[in-house]
């Protein structure tokens, strides 16, 4: 039986809501190139400026559709629900004249607009029915992607990948061109609706740690957990600590250089005894000899320098070829770190005979006039949040910080690591001179550009102006949302994007999690997805999707759930790794299953505070 009292109560609320939404027409330019998307965006912001939990619960009790899926067609959803309630109470429906005056998109038309914008940016045939959902997959290309005739790119495209990301923060125009040439060659044999797209990521003003001074430090070999393989070379070979190849994530064995007289006598089965700088001994069992290279297995972890003795086969010698390495700066919670914008080299703290810090550790920063942006109490994070700092004192050319977050055993501070300042508004443009130069190198093959460090609508306008000056109006624009201040400015950023023919948004969850707090990322990314849907703009879901599978071909359970959630976006980005083809195939299968069962989620529509004009910080604060 219908609860007429409940229906009347809901209808009264809709009367008020419709009045608010109608007001959005005033001040919205009817001649705007994407007028209806702009109008719907503003109506969505009006909808989210209040708490509609009570109305949502009433609709649920009346078995009516929820407003929690209305973001792409706010006014049409409100009118539909209003008519259902009004008719059930014996009243008339909204007149066609009044509906026409609303200038809103119908529900089906809004869904088609999102699908159309997604196809325009990411390509593909799209869903046969606009109400269905499809999600494209983009993969970041490594430096050697064009090797062997572009074998990797060809394998990825065969697996179903139709977007490829070229990151201008690495390599050079010749390498980027090689990647693009493979993709363009593949497109020559593909139908127009199945052409592969190229996403070129402009690096932006990434803030990083500077150079650390070089010292002739001991080389660490082996492990205390298990035996490890090392390479033994004769002089003049150099020794290196065990490290990781950034392109393949493969382990490179540590190397030990010996004097020629000792090296030449090594044979399979021999055992070398190595004494380290602390007087400990490790044994190296010779496994294989191949020309000028010898492979051995070391029994435990040792630190060696050129004072360390090596013996075996009746001969004795010394470790040789230790290279100059960056000084180890290990930070502990409670330590002090000085960050400077000068070109001074980083160095570890100097301690007195009691162990007390006499001179704090220091690192430089690539941001000019760094000290002018921060205030005491501001938070700073380094290396994806591995090191957390709080500004203690601001000096003329730097800041003194207290370490608030580090591993119990200390965290190593390294060169070229990203710096995040979530409490600090950096009034610097997203486009750097290098970005402008790189754009000219890639403009003839780029389908879309990723605008890194986009914080305001001005950053989008700058790129639009540059593309127009370069007669590149066909290239899509995708601002990367990776700072707290970009989140606050999202409505303005979206309105600026709607002035461009093809555009979308990337939710760069890595930096965004650090900037907004890891515990807040889940709700913020949902809010961003909904807001972009209100503007009918497609979204790229990025950072650490199926990262474990990309590295070792075995995903974690949490990553599978995360990949399924990514199906809410129009595109999902995978990073590079040795199992890229397998990972892309797995992601496409996950997305296909998700889209067979889910589309959008019902929400309670509590008041959204992220884009409240009263709460958003002003530029420059």
């Amino acid at each position: 039986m219908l609860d007429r009292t409940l229906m009347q109560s809901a209808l009264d609320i809709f009367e008020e809501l419709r009045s608010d939404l109608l007001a959005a027409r005033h001040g919205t330019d009817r001649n705007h190139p994407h007028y209806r998307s702009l109008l719907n965006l503003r109506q969505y912001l009006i909808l989210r400026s209040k708490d509609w939990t009570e109305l949502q619960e009433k609709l649920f009790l009346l078995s009516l559709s929820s407003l929690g899926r209305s973001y792409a067609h706010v006014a049409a959803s409100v009118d539909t629900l209003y008519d259902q309630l009004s008719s059930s109470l014996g009243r008339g429906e909204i007149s066609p004249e009044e509906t026409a005056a609303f200038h809103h998109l119908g529900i089906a038309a809004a869904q088609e607009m999102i699908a159309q914008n997604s196809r325009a940016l990411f390509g593909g045939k799209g869903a046969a029915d606009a109400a269905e959902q499809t999600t494209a997959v983009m993969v970041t290309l490594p430096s050697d992607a064009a090797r062997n005739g572009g074998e990797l790119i060809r394998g990825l495209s065969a697996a179903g990948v139709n977007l490829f990301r070229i990151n201008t923060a690495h390599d050079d125009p010749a390498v980027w061109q090689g990647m693009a040439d493979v993709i363009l060659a593949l497109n020559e044999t593909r139908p127009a609706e199945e052409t592969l797209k190229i996403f070129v990521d402009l690096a932006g003003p990434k803030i990083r740690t500077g150079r650390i001074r070089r010292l002739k430090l001991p080389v660490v070999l082996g492990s205390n957990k298990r035996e490890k393989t090392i390479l033994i070379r004769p002089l003049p070979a150099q020794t290196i600590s065990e490290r990781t190849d950034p392109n393949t994530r493969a382990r490179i064995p540590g190397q030990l250089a010996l004097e020629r007289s000792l090296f030449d006598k090594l044979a399979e089965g021999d055992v070398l005894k190595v004494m380290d700088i602390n007087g400990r001994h490790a044994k190296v069992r010779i496994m294989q000899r191949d020309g000028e290279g010898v492979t051995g297995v070391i029994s435990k972890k040792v630190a060696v320098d050129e004072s360390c003795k090596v013996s075996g086969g009746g001969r004795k010698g010394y470790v040789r070829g230790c290279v100059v390495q960056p000084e180890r700066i290990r930070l502990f919670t409670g330590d002090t770190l000085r960050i400077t914008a000068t070109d001074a080299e980083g160095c570890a703290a100097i301690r007195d005979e009691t162990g007390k810090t006499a001179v704090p550790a220091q690192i430089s920063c690539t941001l000019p006039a760094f000290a002018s942006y921060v205030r005491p109490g501001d938070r700073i994070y380094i290396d994806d949040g591995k090191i957390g700092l709080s500004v203690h004192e601001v000096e003329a050319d730097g800041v003194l910080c207290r370490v608030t977050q580090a591993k119990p055993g200390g965290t190593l501070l390294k060169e070229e690591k990203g710096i995040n300042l979530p409490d600090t508004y950096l009034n610097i443009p997203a486009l750097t001179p290098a970005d402008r130069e790189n754009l000219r190198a890639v403009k003839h093959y780029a389908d879309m550009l990723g605008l890194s460090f986009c914080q305001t609508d001005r950053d989008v306008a700058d790129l639009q102006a540059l593309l127009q000056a370069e007669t590149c109006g066909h290239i899509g624009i995708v601002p990367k949302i990776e700072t707290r201040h970009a989140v606050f400015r999202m409505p303005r950023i979206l309105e600026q994007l709607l002035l461009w023919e093809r555009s979308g948004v990337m939710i760069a969850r890595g930096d965004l999690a650090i900037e907004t707090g890891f515990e807040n990322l889940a709700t913020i990314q949902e809010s961003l997805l909904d807001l972009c849907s209100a503007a009918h703009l497609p979204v790229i879901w990025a950072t650490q999707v199926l990262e474990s599978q990309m590295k070792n071909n075995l995903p974690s359970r949490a990553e599978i759930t995360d990949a399924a959630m990514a199906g809410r976006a129009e595109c999902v980005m995978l990073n590079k790794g040795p199992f890229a083809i397998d990972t892309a195939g797995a992601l496409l299968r996950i997305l296909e299953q998700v889209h067979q069962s889910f589309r959008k989620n019902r929400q309670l529509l509590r008041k959204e505070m992220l884009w409240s004009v009263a709460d958003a910080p002003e530029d420059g604060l």
Side-chain angles (χ1 to χ4, degrees):
M1 184 175 179
L2 294 176
D3 187 334
R4 300 181 68 83
T5 302
L6 183 61
M7 294 175 68
Q8 182 61 58
S9 174
L11 188 62
D12 291 342
I13 297 175
F14 273 115
E15 290 277 9
E16 177 187 351
L17 176 55
R18 288 193 76 247
S19 177
D20 291 343
L21 296 181
L22 280 166
R25 292 178 302 161
H26 305 297
T28 303
D29 182 8
R30 289 287 305 277
N31 296 317
H32 190 282
H34 295 96
Y35 167 73
R36 290 190 171 184
S37 293
L38 177 61
L39 178 60
N40 188 75
L41 172 62
R42 292 178 175 178
Q43 288 172 334
Y44 177 77
L45 291 170
I46 290 173
L47 176 70
R48 297 310 307 274
S49 67
K50 295 181 180 179
D51 190 334
W52 299 105
T53 303
E54 180 184 356
L55 177 60
Q56 290 287 81
E57 294 299 339
K58 291 179 187 293
L59 295 175
F60 173 74
L61 293 172
L62 292 168
S63 297
L64 292 175
S65 178
S66 166
L67 281 174
R69 290 188 289 267
S70 68
Y71 22 72
H73 36 75
V74 175
S77 295
V78 169
D79 277 4
T80 299
L81 288 165
Y82 182 92
D83 277 346
Q84 290 174 330
L85 290 168
S86 183
S87 298
S88 298
L89 290 170
R91 302 179 183 181
E93 297 181 357
I94 300 170
S95 68
E97 292 77 17
E98 190 177 355
T99 298
F102 222 154
H103 301 302
H104 61 60
L105 279 171
I107 294 174
Q111 291 174 331
E112 171 56 34
M113 184 169 288
I114 293 177
Q116 179 181 330
N117 290 341
S118 180
R119 289 193 297 269
L121 192 63
F122 303 137
K125 298 177 181 179
D129 180 355
E132 295 179 8
Q133 196 175 352
T134 58
T135 299
V137 172
M138 176 167 66
V139 175
T140 301
L141 295 177
S143 300
D144 60 354
R147 188 180 60 184
N148 298 328
E151 180 181 359
L152 172 63
I153 298 174
R154 295 176 186 277
L156 288 168
S157 64
V161 174
N162 64 314
L163 286 100
F164 294 91
R165 174 174 175 253
I166 296 174
N167 188 359
T168 61
H170 305 290
D171 307 313
D172 55 48
V175 174
W176 310 331
Q177 183 67 58
M179 299 174 186
D181 287 343
V182 175
I183 298 169
L184 296 174
L186 286 172
N187 281 340
E188 292 178 358
T189 61
R190 299 172 73 94
E193 69 274 10
E194 295 181 14
T195 55
L196 306 174
K197 301 292 184 180
I198 299 176
F199 179 102
V200 177
D201 204 332
L202 301 176
K206 185 70 174 178
I207 307 168
R208 297 185 180 276
T209 54
R211 180 179 172 84
I212 296 174
R213 68 177 179 179
R214 266 53 180 171
L215 300 174
K216 212 163 192 180
L217 300 173
V219 176
V220 178
L221 302 172
S223 168
N224 287 328
K225 296 181 179 179
R226 61 187 182 278
E227 292 186 335
K228 299 198 76 172
T229 300
I230 63 170
L231 300 178
I232 304 173
R233 304 284 188 185
L235 286 177
Q238 294 180 325
T239 62
I240 59 172
S241 299
E242 184 178 71
R243 59 186 176 89
T244 302
D245 185 326
N247 292 323
T248 66
R249 300 299 179 189
R251 286 290 179 184
I252 299 175
Q255 295 190 24
L256 179 66
L258 300 177
E259 296 162 320
R260 172 65 70 173
S261 60
L262 180 55
F263 175 85
D264 287 343
K265 297 296 182 179
L266 295 178
E268 293 182 17
D270 286 351
V271 175
L272 283 176
K273 182 184 289 186
V274 179
M275 183 185 73
D276 79 352
I277 58 174
N278 298 311
R280 299 192 310 163
H281 289 84
K283 293 181 179 179
V284 180
R285 187 171 68 257
I286 306 303
M287 303 298 295
Q288 183 179 356
R289 183 164 194 138
D290 181 15
E292 286 291 284
V294 171
T295 302
V297 174
I298 192 165
S299 60
K300 59 185 173 184
K301 184 176 182 179
V302 290
V304 298
D305 61 17
E306 296 190 0
S307 69
C308 296
K309 296 179 180 179
V310 181
S311 60
R315 290 183 173 272
K316 296 180 180 180
Y318 288 88
V319 172
R320 289 291 180 259
C322 287
V323 297
V324 173
Q325 304 173 67
E327 182 179 11
R328 287 176 170 263
I329 305 175
R330 187 174 294 276
L331 299 176
F332 296 83
T333 300
D335 280 354
T336 299
L337 175 68
R338 186 173 187 271
I339 304 178
T340 174
T342 68
D343 57 359
E345 291 185 328
C347 57
I350 299 175
R351 304 182 186 276
D352 60 23
E353 60 277 4
T354 66
K356 186 177 180 180
T357 300
V359 179
Q362 174 176 283
I363 193 72
S364 63
C365 169
T366 57
L367 176 64
F370 172 76
S372 66
Y373 291 103
V374 298
R375 297 173 296 185
D378 283 359
R379 293 170 297 164
I380 299 176
Y381 292 100
I382 299 177
D383 195 3
D384 292 332
K386 293 183 178 69
I387 298 172
L389 307 166
S390 176
V391 176
H392 177 65
E393 182 181 345
V394 177
E395 302 174 333
D397 60 350
V399 296
L400 284 175
C401 302
R402 184 65 53 86
V403 179
T404 58
Q405 180 175 308
K407 293 179 181 179
T411 301
L412 283 177
L413 177 63
K414 301 177 182 179
E415 300 175 336
E416 290 293 312
K417 295 301 180 182
I419 299 177
N420 293 92
L421 300 97
D423 301 325
T424 308
Y425 175 70
L426 299 175
N427 190 16
I428 54 177
L431 276 176
T432 67
D435 291 331
R436 294 175 182 273
E437 189 64 29
N438 289 336
L439 169 61
R440 297 181 180 96
V442 304
K443 66 180 184 179
H444 59 287
Y445 58 75
D447 294 297
M448 66 202 86
L449 294 172
L451 181 60
S452 298
F453 203 73
C454 175
Q455 296 195 97
T456 70
D457 52 305
R458 292 195 305 272
D459 291 325
V460 176
D462 286 347
L463 181 54
Q464 290 171 338
L466 177 59
L467 288 174
Q468 287 174 335
E470 296 289 333
T471 62
C472 295
H474 64 284
I475 297 180
I477 295 175
V478 181
K480 295 166 63 178
I481 306 306
E482 50 193 332
T483 71
R484 178 169 170 261
H485 294 274
V487 172
F488 288 137
R489 295 290 178 273
M490 275 303 291
R492 299 182 192 178
I493 290 172
L494 293 179
E495 289 203 7
Q496 187 65 40
L497 285 173
L498 286 172
L499 293 171
W500 200 249
E501 184 59 31
R502 294 194 300 134
S503 54
V505 168
M506 177 185 285
I507 303 177
R509 302 182 305 158
D511 285 318
L512 193 58
I514 300 168
E515 291 269 336
T516 62
F518 283 83
E519 68 278 8
N520 299 317
L521 179 62
T523 54
I524 287 177
Q525 69 187 16
E526 290 298 303
S527 295
L528 292 173
L529 282 166
D530 294 345
L531 188 67
C532 291
S533 291
H536 308 131
L537 293 179
V539 172
I540 301 173
W541 177 292
T543 314
Q544 292 186 319
V545 178
L546 294 179
E547 185 175 26
S548 295
Q549 178 156 11
M550 187 65 83
K551 291 179 178 179
N552 54 42
N553 215 17
L554 182 64
S556 71
R557 279 66 171 170
E559 285 178 338
I560 295 295
T561 303
D562 179 63
M565 288 294 294
R568 285 203 58 201
E570 285 71 33
C571 178
V572 183
M573 189 188 89
L574 294 172
N575 257 321
K576 55 193 173 184
F579 297 101
I581 296 175
D582 291 337
T583 305
L587 177 58
L588 285 162
R589 289 190 294 273
I590 292 169
L591 293 172
E592 181 180 5
Q593 293 176 24
V594 167
H595 291 326
Q596 290 173 356
S597 303
F598 301 100
R599 291 201 183 101
K600 301 291 183 182
N601 299 324
R602 174 177 177 265
Q603 295 186 35
L604 293 176
L605 289 186
R606 298 185 184 276
K607 180 179 178 181
E608 179 59 80
M609 302 299 293
L610 283 174
W611 304 299
S612 169
V613 175
D615 295 326
E618 290 298 322
D619 289 353
L621 293 182

